[in-house]
């Protein structure tokens, strides 16, 4: 076990380079199995989720070669092992293997999604609805697995209307449909940048996907996909996390390797909070000198404010002057981390999907837990801004989605390091 030890209260200054987008990589990396030739993917983030995916793909028989720290070459196999693997249970994005394996080989059996727990298993009803519309038979055998089988004549195009806007189902059905016979039309699609990135990746390999980034995506199935090369977009949420950290801690941080258009909703809220944000072609400069001011946030599907930035921004607003109201419009039970902030002196009251934040002048260091990926990022921001020492446990949740987070913050002037926890010491630290 590992924890982060943070000696807070220091401003952040300097430059940070953002890694490839986690939410794009966890779909694009397995999507390489759809191609008949070798696929080179650049700007791959070095995070636990992607590492686990590549382990699973190797077990399936894929050949994976690391070209350098951020570039990988993947060659699929014509005779994959399609048995479920225990690794998949640890991986929230394991279900993207469903679309890939169903589309390529006509069969898949994958563990139910793992990863972050916001209070119950993530619903996959819209995934199932889409697969069945394409002609697949979907069963749920015992043991927490999902089995999908294509008919003898293969998947066929269909008209699919999603009952709710869903990123995962939009991407998964796209993966299954690119090799299906005929045309697939998906309506009420999610519009996130990583959906556009996946479509661009598939098209670079010979797919025919149109409309990604709008609420209607049309896919005309092709006979096969060929090899190629592609570079993953920068991570919108990692960039937003460093922007929120600069706001909470003060100082001046240049966030490099970003697409400013993807950050507009975050930038707008920071400016409402009296933070200065200057946009460049592929960077944003975040400055904060005086005290933060209150604002209200409601999370919504893209281009609205992202749910994955809610914990980080709420943490910054704990130090703002006045009362801020946060409304969680995507994941209603995403406020577990507020109990940790309260341990540090924050004044937060949660009622269902709404959190009321009364700003305080300072937070105080305390032992806290990273209940999930973004909650963990929020704990790091809180520790950096707090007076005294904060110890963040369960950091494996953070490292699922952030590459070299400690090193990046240290380069900005933070005083933090990773420390090994002796067996049995984790719960004692919080007693």
């Amino acid at each position: 076990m590992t924890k982060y030890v943070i000696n807070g209260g220091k401003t952040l200054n300097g430059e940070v380079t953002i890694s490839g987008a986690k939410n794009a990589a966890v779909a694009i990396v397995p999507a390489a199995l759809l191609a008949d030739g070798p696929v080179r993917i650049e700007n791959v983030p070095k995070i636990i989720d992607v590492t686990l995916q590549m382990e699973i793909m190797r077990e399936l028989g894929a050949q994976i070669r690391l070209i350098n720290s951020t570039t990988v070459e993947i060659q699929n196999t014509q005779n994959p092992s399609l048995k479920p693997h225990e690794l998949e249970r640890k991986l929230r994005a394991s279900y993207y293997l469903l679309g890939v394996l169903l589309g390529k080989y006509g069969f898949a059996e994958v563990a139910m999604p793992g990863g972050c727990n916001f209070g119950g298993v993530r619903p996959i009803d819209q995934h199932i609805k889409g697969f069945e519309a394409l002609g697949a038979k979907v069963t749920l055998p015992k043991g927490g697995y999902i089995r999908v089988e294509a008919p003898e004549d293969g998947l066929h195009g269909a008209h699919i209307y999603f009952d709710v806007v869903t990123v995962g189902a939009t991407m998964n059905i796209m993966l299954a449909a690119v090799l299906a016979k005929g045309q697939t039309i998906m309506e009420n699609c999610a519009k996130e940048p990583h959906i556009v990135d996946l479509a661009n990746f598939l098209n670079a390999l010979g797919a025919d996907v149109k409309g990604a980034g709008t609420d209607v995506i049309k896919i005309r199935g092709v006979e096969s996909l060929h090899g190629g090369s592609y570079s993953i977009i920068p991570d919108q949420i990692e960039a937003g996390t460093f922007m929120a950290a600069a706001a909470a801690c003060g100082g001046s941080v240049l966030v490099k390797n970003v697409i400013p258009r993807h950050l507009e909703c975050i930038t707008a809220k920071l400016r409402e909070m009296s933070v200065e944000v200057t946009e460049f072609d592929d960077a944003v400069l975040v400055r904060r000198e005086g005290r933060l001011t209150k604002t209200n946030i409601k999370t919504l599907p893209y281009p609205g404010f992202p749910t994955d930035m809610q914990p980080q921004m709420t943490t910054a607003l704990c130090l703002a002057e006045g009362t801020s109201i946060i409304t969680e419009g995507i994941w209603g039970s995403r406020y577990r981390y507020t109990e940790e902030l309260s341990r540090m002196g924050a004044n937060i009251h949660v009622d269902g999907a709404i959190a009321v934040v009364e700003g305080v002048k300072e937070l105080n260091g305390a032992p806290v837990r990273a209940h999930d990926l973004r909650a963990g990022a929020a704990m790091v921001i809180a520790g950096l801004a707090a007076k005294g020492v904060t110890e963040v446990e369960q950091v494996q949740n953070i490292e699922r989605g952030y590459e070299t987070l400690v090193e990046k913050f240290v380069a900005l002037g933070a005083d933090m390091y990773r420390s090994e926890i002796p067996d049995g010491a984790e719960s004692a630290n919080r007693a």
Side-chain angles (χ1 to χ4, degrees):
M1 297 293 293
T2 304
K3 65 181 176 182
Y4 294 163
V5 180
I6 306 170
N7 185 16
K10 295 174 173 55
T11 59
L12 301 179
N13 293 280
E15 301 179 352
V16 61
T17 300
I18 299 304
S19 303
K22 166 195 174 286
N23 289 334
V26 293
I28 287 174
V29 167
L33 297 179
L34 291 166
D36 290 337
V39 177
R40 178 173 292 204
I41 307 172
E42 300 174 353
N43 205 29
V44 178
K46 294 180 289 184
I47 56 177
I48 290 175
D49 273 13
V50 172
T51 301
L52 279 170
Q53 275 190 326
M54 289 194 285
E55 286 184 40
I56 294 168
M57 290 163 64
R58 284 192 178 100
E59 289 191 33
L60 291 170
Q63 298 175 12
I64 300 178
R65 185 164 66 98
L66 300 178
I67 307 299
N68 57 46
S69 62
T70 60
T71 303
V72 63
E73 186 174 271
I74 301 170
Q75 173 70 64
N76 79 348
T77 176
Q78 296 304 314
N79 298 294
S81 166
L82 294 176
K83 295 179 181 178
H85 302 284
E86 189 60 30
L87 279 172
E88 293 161 355
R89 195 180 297 277
K90 303 176 185 176
L91 188 62
R92 171 245 186 275
S94 63
Y95 53 45
Y96 291 133
L97 285 164
L98 279 173
V100 170
L101 298 176
L102 176 65
K104 181 66 175 177
Y105 303 110
F107 175 84
E109 188 172 278
V110 170
M112 290 286 282
C116 289
N117 178 13
F118 302 143
V121 176
R122 286 174 180 254
I124 60 164
D125 58 310
Q126 298 302 298
H127 302 245
I128 293 172
K129 174 181 178 177
F131 292 143
E132 290 179 337
L134 296 174
K137 178 183 178 182
V138 182
T139 55
L140 302 173
K142 292 182 180 180
Y145 291 92
I146 312 163
R147 178 181 294 154
V148 289
E149 300 175 72
E152 287 188 11
D153 60 344
L155 299 177
H156 52 77
H159 197 135
I160 302 162
Y161 183 90
F162 295 115
D163 300 323
V164 293
V165 176
T166 159
V167 171
T170 298
M171 297 174 85
N172 221 349
I173 305 311
M174 187 189 306
L175 291 167
V178 289
L179 295 176
K181 298 181 180 69
Q183 186 179 55
T184 297
I185 300 175
M186 302 190 298
E187 293 194 62
N188 200 28
C189 296
K191 307 173 187 177
E192 272 73 2
H194 38 280
I195 291 173
V196 178
D197 209 34
L198 175 61
N200 289 340
F201 169 76
L202 293 170
N203 286 339
L205 303 184
D208 186 354
V209 181
K210 293 183 172 65
T214 74
D215 60 356
V216 179
I217 298 177
K218 296 181 180 180
I219 304 166
R220 191 168 297 278
V222 296
E223 289 285 331
S224 63
L225 298 182
H226 52 71
S229 61
Y230 191 79
S231 182
I232 293 172
I233 59 171
D235 196 304
Q236 169 203 28
I237 305 302
E238 185 193 2
T241 297
F242 279 96
M243 294 168 75
C249 297
S252 177
V253 176
L254 182 66
V255 185
K256 301 167 64 177
N257 187 37
V258 301
I259 300 174
R261 178 170 50 85
H262 293 168
L263 304 172
E264 286 175 351
C265 53
I266 301 167
T267 296
K269 285 299 171 184
L270 287 173
R271 286 172 174 161
E272 290 177 17
M273 295 162 60
S274 302
V275 178
E276 181 183 342
V277 183
T278 306
E279 297 181 0
F280 302 96
D281 288 343
D282 60 354
V284 292
L285 179 63
V286 183
R287 287 196 189 99
R288 198 271 287 175
E289 294 181 357
R291 190 173 177 191
L292 295 172
T293 53
K294 66 178 182 178
T295 192
N296 297 331
I297 293 174
K298 180 175 183 179
T299 66
L300 292 166
Y302 188 85
F305 193 90
T307 182
D308 279 356
M309 275 300 302
Q310 182 255 97
Q312 302 92 305
M313 291 290 279
T314 300
T315 299
L317 287 169
C318 288
L319 295 163
E321 190 171 12
T323 303
S324 301
I325 298 175
I326 315 299
T327 305
E328 177 52 58
I330 307 295
W331 294 104
S333 53
R334 196 168 195 166
Y335 287 123
R336 289 178 68 195
Y337 71 92
T338 60
E339 297 175 6
E340 307 297 311
L341 289 176
S342 295
R343 293 167 60 88
M344 302 178 70
N347 186 353
I348 304 177
H349 175 72
V350 176
D351 184 6
I354 296 175
V356 179
V357 183
E358 297 281 354
V360 297
K361 289 190 176 180
E362 66 179 19
L363 298 175
N364 296 295
V368 294
R369 288 178 180 164
H371 288 294
D372 61 67
L373 170 58
R374 306 307 175 183
M379 291 304 100
V380 172
I381 292 173
L384 292 170
K387 180 180 179 181
V389 177
T390 297
E391 296 185 356
V392 183
E393 297 175 352
Q394 297 180 347
V395 300
Q396 68 275 10
N397 287 329
I398 300 173
E399 294 174 356
R400 283 187 44 240
Y402 289 94
E403 177 181 340
T404 59
L405 188 69
V406 172
E407 292 82 353
K408 288 180 177 181
F409 273 121
V410 168
L412 294 175
D415 182 355
M416 67 181 295
Y417 61 92
R418 301 171 94 251
S419 175
E420 297 302 316
I421 305 175
D423 289 345
E426 181 179 348
S427 58
N429 286 346
R430 295 169 56 88

